[in-house]
Amino acid sequence: MIKKFTILSALAVASFIVIDSQFNTATSDSSGKSGYAGDPAGGSKTCAQSNCHSDFGTTAFAAPASTISFKDGGGNEVTSYTGGSTYTVTINAMNHNSKAGFNCVIENSSSSKVGTFTATAGNQLLSGYMSHSSGGNSGVNKSWTFTWVAPSAGSGTLTIYAAVNRANNDFTSQSDSIFTTTRVLSDGANGIADIHAASNLIITPNPATNVITIQSTNLSSTNNVAIYSLNGELMVNQTLNSQNQSIHIADLNKGIYLVQLSNDKGTFVKKFVKE
């Protein structure tokens, strides 16, 4: 009986070590993963959709959403890239508990990973995806910063995809919050340039005060419209069901915004002015 109890105790301890090693207090993984940034190349997977962590965006500390910072060599927040230049990317978890993890990748309109990442403290590069490292998943309001060298000019519209796990620190994979966020990068020095067949994307009126209507010859059966501020903050995100569908913008502050139309034909971006 004593021998059996000893064996069972050893197995219980070993099982706890395995669980703790895998989830590390319910982060996405103690040593990081790749392919879970919610990006097209990864099959739009996150740790929630892959059944690793549950309750996508439902825990008490869910808001606000995760953010992406993208800065040039001078430390300026920018919305475009210049071929061959180096940029600093920061993923902000905004977690209220002490554990968090992330995945991030940058892809072109063909869903190919582009550019070159270089990891810094607390993160690592895994098969083209940036992820937290084993020592980089602890801390409240956690953030990860790394560098990225842009591909050659003419690579077109790029999108930063990121997924963040705000773990609830309960030593299980349950009731954690997995959030996805994106940021669009235009090709060229002018961050508000019209890009990727934008001549086929019409926004009326422009400038606008309360409502805009989007028309495009590139509409498909399923179309998503997102409106971003020039610092990359997602302001509006909705499905476009018809050519003449109204998008309400009365709550936006005055300024210049980017409208992104995404469907199976690609990603199309154009600016408009809110008065």
Side-chain angles (χ1 to χ4, degrees):
M1 179 65 69
I2 295 175
K3 183 179 293 184
K4 181 180 293 185
F5 178 79
T6 302
I7 293 173
L8 290 174
S9 298
L11 287 173
V13 171
S15 298
F16 177 81
I17 291 172
V18 169
I19 292 172
D20 188 52
S21 173
Q22 181 178 359
F23 297 113
N24 196 12
T25 326
T27 59
S28 55
D29 191 280
S30 62
S31 57
K33 285 181 176 291
S34 65
Y36 293 90
D39 59 298
S44 299
K45 297 192 305 294
T46 69
C47 287
Q49 284 95 341
S50 62
N51 298 317
C52 178
H53 292 263
S54 64
D55 294 348
F56 180 89
T58 59
T59 61
F61 55 93
S66 308
T67 60
I68 301 172
S69 172
F70 185 77
K71 296 183 178 181
D72 62 17
N76 303 300
E77 198 74 33
V78 293
T79 60
S80 64
Y81 67 92
T82 300
S85 296
T86 300
Y87 297 86
T88 300
V89 184
T90 300
I91 308 299
N92 301 294
M94 296 181 180
N95 56 307
H96 292 185
N97 283 317
S98 59
K99 293 291 182 177
F102 85 103
N103 241 203
C104 176
V105 69
I106 299 180
E107 297 175 5
N108 61 20
S109 59
S110 299
S111 302
S112 297
K113 295 186 285 291
V114 293
T116 304
F117 287 115
T118 299
T120 59
N123 52 69
Q124 59 183 323
L125 180 61
L126 299 172
S127 301
Y129 291 81
M130 292 302 302
S131 176
H132 61 280
S133 61
S134 58
N137 55 11
S138 298
V140 175
N141 291 327
K142 182 68 178 177
S143 66
W144 301 269
T145 298
F146 42 91
T147 62
W148 176 77
V149 178
S152 60
S155 295
T157 307
L158 307 181
T159 303
I160 307 175
Y161 296 90
V164 171
N165 181 354
R166 298 182 202 152
N168 65 357
N169 209 14
D170 67 352
F171 289 91
T172 76
S173 62
Q174 305 301 307
S175 299
D176 299 325
S177 291
I178 312 296
F179 286 87
T180 58
T181 186
T182 61
R183 181 162 178 172
V184 176
L185 303 175
S186 62
D187 183 357
N190 184 359
I192 60 174
D194 295 345
I195 50 179
H196 197 133
S199 60
N200 292 325
L201 181 58
I202 301 172
I203 302 170
T204 56
N206 189 5
T209 303
N210 297 312
V211 175
I212 59 173
T213 299
I214 294 178
Q215 301 178 48
S216 176
T217 58
N218 295 301
L219 291 183
S220 184
S221 57
T222 301
N223 307 278
N224 185 79
V225 173
I227 298 178
Y228 293 88
S229 66
L230 288 186
N231 65 5
E233 183 179 1
L234 179 62
M235 310 302 295
V236 176
N237 189 32
Q238 67 181 63
T239 300
L240 184 67
N241 297 314
S242 68
Q243 276 276 13
N244 298 313
Q245 181 173 326
S246 297
I247 299 177
H248 295 275
I249 59 167
D251 292 337
L252 299 182
N253 293 327
K254 293 181 179 180
I256 299 173
Y257 293 86
L258 297 176
V259 174
Q260 173 186 284
L261 170 67
S262 302
N263 54 35
D264 56 6
K265 297 181 180 180
T267 300
F268 310 91
V269 180
K270 194 165 189 177
K271 67 178 178 180
F272 83 94
V273 177
K274 165 66 186 337
E275 292 185 330

